[in-house]
Amino acid sequence: MTRRPLLIAIDGPAGAGKSATARELAVRLGLPYLDTGAMYRAVALLARRAGLGPELDGEGRRAVVGFAERLGVGFRGDPRAQRVILDGEDVTEALRAPEVSQMASVVSAIPEVRREMVRRQRELAARSGGVVEGRDIGTVVFPDATLKVFLTAEPEMRARRRFDELARRGVAASWEDVLEEQRERDRRDSTRPDSPMRPAEGAVIVDTSRLSLSEVVEAVVALLPGPPRTP
Ligand code: DC
């Protein structure tokens, strides 16, 4: 009998703590970490650099699908300090720019783009397992994951985290803009016809509004099947 690799799906909206939780879990459990949002962001960065904006016409859309199909994205380093490499260039910081976040939400609504990303994600994680974070991991990419978690938090709390993160990186943004962009992205991500963001069947919903990172990690570890795992 072959044992299935341990695969943990972490889904949920921006700012719920997915990345931090998934990275810590990966370190704690000695598993690979896969940031699927970075893949959509890489497609978005290429689109932006090609001069495309959120309003895509037929030609723009075709160009974006081409970027997805030829995407040369890879990950380097341990989960806590992982770098994203796009065609040999370290784009880790560039992927976090607000206009790339918005564009990622736009390109991720295109079914051909999703199909290509999902195919790659399955290829990357199916054999080795891992902690995989995104929006559709439990619903579409790995519906039979060992554990499916949907992390959520109150909108103001999520926007506050995002606002603080931008301030830390020296990006000037108003509180109203951060809140509005988040609202717009949440709406787009959860209402798109292809793979809308929603908790998967059998997913455990964890509200992180009033939990510290280590409390969230412990809560998820406690959900794993099998004997208790001590830190
Ligand atoms: O998690 P993130 O903020 O890096 O994701 C960027 C965008 O990509 C987000 O707006 C939704 C989209 N995304 C997706 O549609 N499916 C995923 N598995 C991961 C991200």
Side-chain angles (χ1 to χ4, degrees):
M1 197 181 94
T2 51
R3 277 189 61 178
R4 282 202 308 142
L6 190 61
L7 212 144
I8 305 177
I10 308 279
D11 291 301
K18 289 192 305 294
S19 276
T21 305
R23 287 167 198 263
E24 287 306 312
L25 272 173
V27 171
R28 166 87 180 260
L29 302 169
L31 290 171
Y33 160 64
L34 181 58
D35 175 5
T36 66
M39 299 169 75
Y40 291 98
R41 285 173 181 270
V43 176
L45 180 64
L46 291 172
R48 295 285 309 178
R49 285 180 174 174
L52 297 168
E55 309 297 334
L56 290 172
D57 59 12
E59 198 183 327
R61 201 171 175 285
R62 274 192 295 283
V64 169
V65 173
F67 292 139
E69 286 169 352
R70 296 188 300 275
L71 192 70
V73 75
F75 300 94
R76 201 173 289 160
D78 76 88
R80 280 197 192 114
Q82 199 171 70
R83 311 298 299 176
V84 189
I85 313 295
L86 177 62
D87 299 323
E89 178 193 350
D90 188 328
V91 292
T92 315
E93 268 83 41
L95 294 188
R96 299 286 135 196
E99 61 277 13
V100 175
S101 302
Q102 284 305 320
M103 196 65 189
S105 174
V106 171
V107 304
S108 68
I110 302 174
E112 294 92 326
V113 172
R114 300 206 69 79
R115 203 181 311 138
E116 179 61 25
M117 296 303 109
V118 169
R119 187 184 67 73
R120 289 169 183 239
Q121 290 155 19
R122 289 188 179 139
E123 231 171 65
L124 284 167
R127 200 162 328 133
S128 55
V131 183
V132 186
E133 76 156 280
R135 300 288 190 294
D136 61 340
I137 309 306
T139 51
V140 175
V141 187
F142 294 113
D144 56 358
T146 319
L147 175 64
K148 292 181 262 188
V149 178
F150 192 87
L151 288 188
T152 181
E154 291 156 13
E156 280 74 20
M157 209 68 91
R158 298 193 283 114
R160 160 63 54 193
R161 290 174 185 162
R162 172 103 186 109
F163 184 76
D164 290 347
E165 183 204 324
L166 288 172
R168 252 195 320 274
R169 296 196 345 245
V171 180
S174 78
W175 167 249
E176 287 72 26
D177 285 351
V178 170
L179 202 58
E180 183 47 37
E181 276 174 20
Q182 175 180 283
R183 203 171 287 137
E184 174 66 14
R185 206 141 74 91
D186 282 354
R187 190 197 54 74
R188 206 185 285 120
D189 295 344
S190 52
T191 59
R192 65 181 175 220
D194 186 354
S195 320
M197 171 180 69
R198 57 177 172 78
E201 214 180 295
V204 180
I205 298 175
V206 177
D207 187 326
T208 69
S209 301
R210 272 163 250 319
L211 298 177
S212 68
L213 174 58
S214 58
E215 286 171 326
V216 177
V217 172
E218 289 318 310
V220 177
V221 169
L223 292 168
L224 282 169
R229 291 161 207 260
T230 45

